[in-house]
Amino acid sequence: MPDLAALLPPPVLFFALGFAAGALRSDLAVPDALAKALSLYLMVVIGLKGGAAISLPGATEGLWPALAAGVALSLLLPLPAFAALRATSALDRETAAAVAGHYGSVSVVTFAAAAGILASRGVAYEGFMPAVLAAMETPAIITALLLARGSTAGLFSRRLAREVFLSGSVVLLLGSFAIGWIAGPAGKAQLAPFAEGLFPGALCLFLLEMGLMAARQLRAAGRGLPYNLIAFALLMPLFGAGCGWGLGLLSGLSAGGHALLVVLGASASYIAVPAAMRMAVPKADAGIYVTLSVAITFPFNILIGIPLYLWAAGT
């Protein structure tokens, strides 16, 4: 069982602070210009780290089957999530698509907690798994944008495909990923003060702002979270974990790598996708998509999900 620091890392505590301040009608606020700058910064750093992880010597040995499995999970999981939300809730298309995108993408902290438990048990896993995590950030965003604008059939529309694939958030994530890959370890070392030193603090400020926004939007609508959405936030990780379990078997991963792919399938983003949705789908209700991901799915995965997923993967 992870300790309190794994369950409540500072970024999550800052989300709780923002949510509490918003719920209590505090005048605490993060300026819009700073919030947008934080979104841009987080996407740049996530892309750089992912590209740098793949550029490391030997990182690609045995990587491609696992990478294909991870990208498939990220790209496809938003589809059943979106269908379930539209069938069982009154969410508008944009909000349902934004929520679905969160459940195709991944949580770095959930991954780190699972990796820490494996290390404490002496269970080894493939060194390229952080690269699989990084590659899973963006495909779900692309699917969510397609769903928000029409349907996945829109890929065959040149206008819609251009709008989605040239969306600022997608261009920034993919471009930063390519730059990190090209720059390699030397570039990673050069950018370490920017990409690593500032990242924890920027993430705390970003989640503070997300907490404020979530509480205020929920309060303005005069509602809490409906039970059907809470049920979705608890059941969707189990569905994603099952998909990750099946693809992990096909990927030829070790028991540790298989367990981490199951965890990735179950996790939900609260960094890359909120930042992208805030920029690309401003009509989506952040009070729904951020709260489901951070306040329900994240603690469920940490407390109950990870032990279950590791057991299912034989670790």
Side-chain angles (χ1 to χ4, degrees):
M1 183 65 64
D3 59 21
L4 188 62
L7 175 60
L8 296 173
V12 174
L13 292 174
F14 271 93
F15 173 83
L17 172 61
F19 193 91
L24 294 172
R25 302 176 187 271
S26 167
D27 62 359
L28 176 65
V30 175
D32 280 346
L34 176 58
K36 291 178 181 178
L38 289 169
S39 297
L40 291 170
Y41 170 79
L42 291 175
M43 286 187 284
V44 166
V45 172
I46 288 167
L48 286 172
K49 287 184 175 181
I54 289 182
S55 73
L56 292 174
T60 59
E61 184 178 349
L63 166 67
W64 301 114
L67 195 64
V71 170
L73 280 172
S74 181
L75 195 65
L76 298 177
L77 276 177
L79 299 178
F82 179 78
L85 288 165
R86 294 289 279 172
T88 63
S89 74
L91 293 183
D92 58 84
R93 171 177 287 276
E94 289 84 359
T95 302
V99 172
H102 284 68
Y103 288 84
S105 191
V106 289
S107 161
V108 175
V109 177
T110 305
F111 176 89
I117 293 174
L118 289 178
S120 70
R121 296 179 180 178
V123 178
Y125 58 87
E126 287 79 358
F128 56 68
M129 290 307 296
V132 175
L133 176 145
M136 290 178 68
E137 297 273 12
T138 307
I141 294 172
I142 294 172
T143 303
L145 293 180
L146 286 168
L147 291 169
R149 284 160 171 74
S151 72
T152 52
L155 275 172
F156 299 102
S157 161
R158 290 181 62 185
R159 182 192 63 79
L160 185 56
R162 177 180 175 84
E163 180 182 350
V164 169
F165 287 100
L166 292 183
S167 165
S169 56
V170 174
V171 169
L172 195 58
L173 277 166
L174 293 179
S176 299
F177 192 95
I179 290 170
W181 180 38
I182 294 168
K188 180 181 179 181
Q190 184 179 5
L191 292 173
F194 170 78
E196 296 178 16
L198 297 178
F199 185 81
L203 178 56
C204 288
L205 283 175
F206 176 76
L207 285 177
L208 174 70
E209 197 266 342
M210 286 285 100
L212 287 165
M213 180 187 294
R216 287 170 180 166
Q217 289 193 212
L218 286 172
R219 194 185 69 222
R223 53 158 166 73
L225 287 174
Y227 289 117
N228 55 343
L229 291 181
I230 294 173
F232 169 85
L234 296 174
L235 294 175
M236 188 63 200
L238 299 176
F239 177 80
C243 295
W245 186 87
L247 287 175
L249 287 179
L250 297 175
S251 302
L253 292 167
S254 67
H258 186 194
L260 290 179
L261 189 63
V262 174
V263 170
L264 288 173
S267 67
S269 173
Y270 60 78
I271 303 176
V273 180
M277 294 300 108
R278 196 181 193 285
M279 288 178 58
V281 192
K283 292 182 180 179
D285 188 347
I288 297 292
Y289 63 72
V290 178
T291 305
L292 288 177
S293 173
V294 180
I296 299 177
T297 299
F298 175 73
F300 169 79
N301 274 334
I302 293 291
L303 286 172
I304 299 171
I306 290 176
L308 178 62
Y309 309 146
L310 299 189
W311 171 82
T315 58

